[in-house]
Amino acid sequence: MEQAKGVLPRFGAEIVGSFSLPSFYDNFKEDVFVASNLKAEYQAVINQFLAKL
């Protein structure tokens, strides 16, 4: 992800935010975040993106 964040702006991309879900199978079950702090962090990144639209 860090590689992409460094390269994509060279092609005109604007990186608004990023989110990495650690231990996917432990933290995401049946379309739901298990850890509420990860859900809040994810939602904050989505909100940053939507604010740029």
Side-chain angles (χ1 to χ4, degrees):
M1 183 166 57
E2 292 302 317
Q3 181 75 21
K5 286 170 45 179
V7 172
L8 289 174
R10 295 180 190 165
F11 296 96
E14 178 185 356
I15 307 297
V16 176
S18 64
F19 174 79
S20 178
L21 180 62
S23 303
F24 178 83
Y25 292 104
D26 295 330
N27 289 307
F28 198 77
K29 305 272 185 197
E30 300 178 20
D31 298 333
V32 176
F33 281 102
V34 174
S36 62
N37 63 320
L38 292 174
K39 181 179 180 180
E41 185 179 338
Y42 170 77
Q43 191 61 55
V45 172
I46 294 297
N47 290 342
Q48 283 178 325
F49 174 75
L50 293 174
K52 289 287 188 172
L53 294 180

